[in-house]
Amino acid sequence: MVHQYPPRQSTVLLPILCLMVLIISLEAFSPTSPLLKSRPSHTILGVSSVDPPKSSGTTSQGSTAAQWHRDRRQQMLTRYPEISELEKTANSQSVGGSFLFLANLSLTLLAILCGRMANWKWTFLLALFPGSIFSLWQLQILHDNLHGSLLDKSKRHYNFGPIKIPKRKLQQWILFWGSMPSIFGYYLYLQYGHLTHHQAVGNPQAANLQTIFESSSPSFEDGDVLFVAHRMKLKGGIGPRFQIGKKEIVMSISNLGFRQWKTGRALFNMGVFATSFLYERLLLVVNDIVVAVAGKNYFFLNKPPQFHKECARYCRAAVATRALIWWLGGKSWHSLWFLYLAETLWSLPPHPAAAMFVTNHGSRPNNNKIRASPDNACIPSSSTYAGKWYSCLTLGTNYHCEHHDFPTIPLQQLGALRQIAPEFYREGSNDRLWPIMVQAFAYPDYYACMNDMESIR
């Protein structure tokens, strides 16, 4: 048998892709790059920021739910001053740095392996576990980095041999390059949508699809709405909207899917959610290629040029990285399907992580579960307590209420808040994950008590 070598042009693809990544890297970290421009430190509503977004007037006013968290934070700091020390000094550098390297290296190698095997069963199984967990860890550690709790808070610079790098530049480098490999990635959400989420969570004027897609602000008013719209009730308008001739077309996959839900039919609603969510994520993959080529994100036409420039820079780097993994995986689409499934499966039932993802900002009454809040109060943020294994599996993402109370406390310390200030959090660690998901999908809530803001106390 005569071995058939691939065409000559494919043998030079690898160095070309490597050159693309190098060029993008040099562009992203040139002295004129916005990624490396020195910015003064900012604190937005107690939320530390790597690159604080400029918000519209509505967002900068915050929301009732955000004020609830600020009030709780102040009460806890007054009663338990030791929490202040955690805010000032605690970081996740030793844990987060190691786990981010492990997660990204594992995602890369598993994607290449799936490409080489080209077996659908193994691609799915490896994406389900451990791929989905590594993807969730990537998000959580980058999230810590965004809030300034990943690196040593006492340092302003890091020395790498003779090179001295300001910590804020290193944080931006971690946020940008640490979000790869990915298939649509977490960078743009974290960069433009997460810190404003802490300000505007549950605000009907800011937290709606029409505002987010039509806004001229550099940042999303509340980036979580882009996910929440698939599975929770929202107030306000719908977007994105496109003008074709004299006709306006509203194209919202999330809203279209959510309108098909049927009250009390959890399994049916789970299926609809999975369909709309997976389809939208697939379109994001395609949109990344469009943005990389065109240099513009056509879903957010009103945003300033710097937003589009940053979107294009990231998409070009991400697409080049995906192409490199595809090439190393034997030019098999299984490598990219692995990344796609790893990034989506942890958000979908019956994956254990989905329980905390779909319930972190509901509108459930307190029912005497949190002693520091009135019995009839609406609780806009919640955590999922399913034991130590669950906290390890999600790398502390399950402590969502704790995180909104103290955004700069690192992932491995969030669980300690419940021990320090027990009256501010639910008791017990035996939450049943499947019933939680069934309840959330059978009877969906409004997002973060936005239908009953007066009862948030």
Side-chain angles (χ1 to χ4, degrees), residues 1-6:
M1 179 180 294
V2 179
H3 182 75
Q4 297 295 319
Y5 289 93

Side-chain angles (χ1 to χ4, degrees), residues 169 199 260 264 269 283 329 344 356 366 371 405 437 450:
K169 292 182 180 180
Q199 300 175 31
Q260 313 310 312
N269 296 340
L283 292 184
T344 53
M356 56 91 185
N366 183 23
R371 286 176 283 147
D405 290 337
M437 288 185 262
M450 66 163 45

Side-chain angles (χ1 to χ4, degrees), residues 331-408:
K331 291 174 285 187
S332 167
W333 295 108
H334 283 264
S335 56
L336 300 185
W337 278 115
F338 166 82
L339 292 175
Y340 171 78
L341 291 170
E343 284 180 57
T344 53
L345 288 178
W346 67 264
S347 306
L348 306 176
H351 196 291
M356 56 91 185
F357 176 66
V358 301
T359 59
N360 51 22
H361 288 298
S363 299
R364 299 301 165 96
N366 183 23
N367 291 335
N368 206 29
K369 293 178 181 178
I370 299 175
R371 286 176 283 147
S373 295
D375 184 43
N376 61 344
C378 187
I379 306 300
S381 302
S382 62
S383 299
T384 303
Y385 306 129
K388 291 183 178 179
W389 73 270
Y390 192 69
S391 299
C392 293
L393 186 76
T394 61
L395 212 59
T397 318
N398 58 310
Y399 295 115
H400 202 76
C401 186
E402 289 86 340
H403 167 65
H404 272 261
D405 290 337
F406 296 94
T408 61

